[in-house]
Amino acid sequence: MMRWMMTLLAGLLTAVAADAHEAAGQHGGRTTDVGAYHVELVAKGETVDLFVTNAKQEPVSAGGFKGAAILVLGGKATRIPLAPAEGNRLSGTAPMALGERPKGAVQLTGPDGATANGKLH
């Protein structure tokens, strides 16, 4: 299982589109492009929130989306499932407290079933 997680993390980190970028978001998190969407990852304590917007930075309802944050925690890749919450937010809980800038990647599956990945620095 751990080998699979490390392989997935390595694949996600290398499969990110060349035009993806990262900057500070409106919720204080880091942003990156994930396929056709722009996302912002906010980590507080054990909570991981992912805010989804379109290319024009307009909120996109999280209904119908699913996602995962694959973050490095304690030196190991940890997959944190993210489920729709209110508005344009998907949320999940990590097994331990995260720093404000955990390293890893995010995976987002849209209502149409298309899955895309984005790398966090």
Side-chain angles (χ1 to χ4, degrees), residues 1 6-7 11 27 31 42 45 50 52 61 74 78-79 82 84-85 92 94-95 97 109 112 116:
M1 179 70 171
M6 293 303 289
T7 301
H27 300 96
T31 62
V42 178
L50 190 71
V52 182
S61 173
T78 303
R79 187 177 203 284
L82 303 172
T109 302
D112 62 357

Side-chain angles (χ1 to χ4, degrees), residues 19-94:
D19 65 348
H21 65 278
E22 187 171 320
Q26 69 179 31
H27 300 96
R30 293 174 296 150
T31 62
T32 191
D33 292 327
V34 179
Y37 301 98
H38 194 72
V39 299
E40 178 182 1
L41 182 112
V42 178
K44 291 184 182 174
E46 288 106 17
T47 302
V48 177
D49 290 324
L50 190 71
F51 295 89
V52 182
T53 59
N54 62 20
K56 296 178 183 178
Q57 300 295 316
E58 300 165 332
V60 174
S61 173
F65 282 88
K66 61 182 176 178
I70 301 95
L71 304 176
V72 178
L73 303 174
K76 298 183 209 174
T78 303
R79 187 177 203 284
I80 303 160
L82 303 172
E86 73 277 348
N88 67 325
R89 181 173 63 93
L90 287 89
S91 190
T93 304

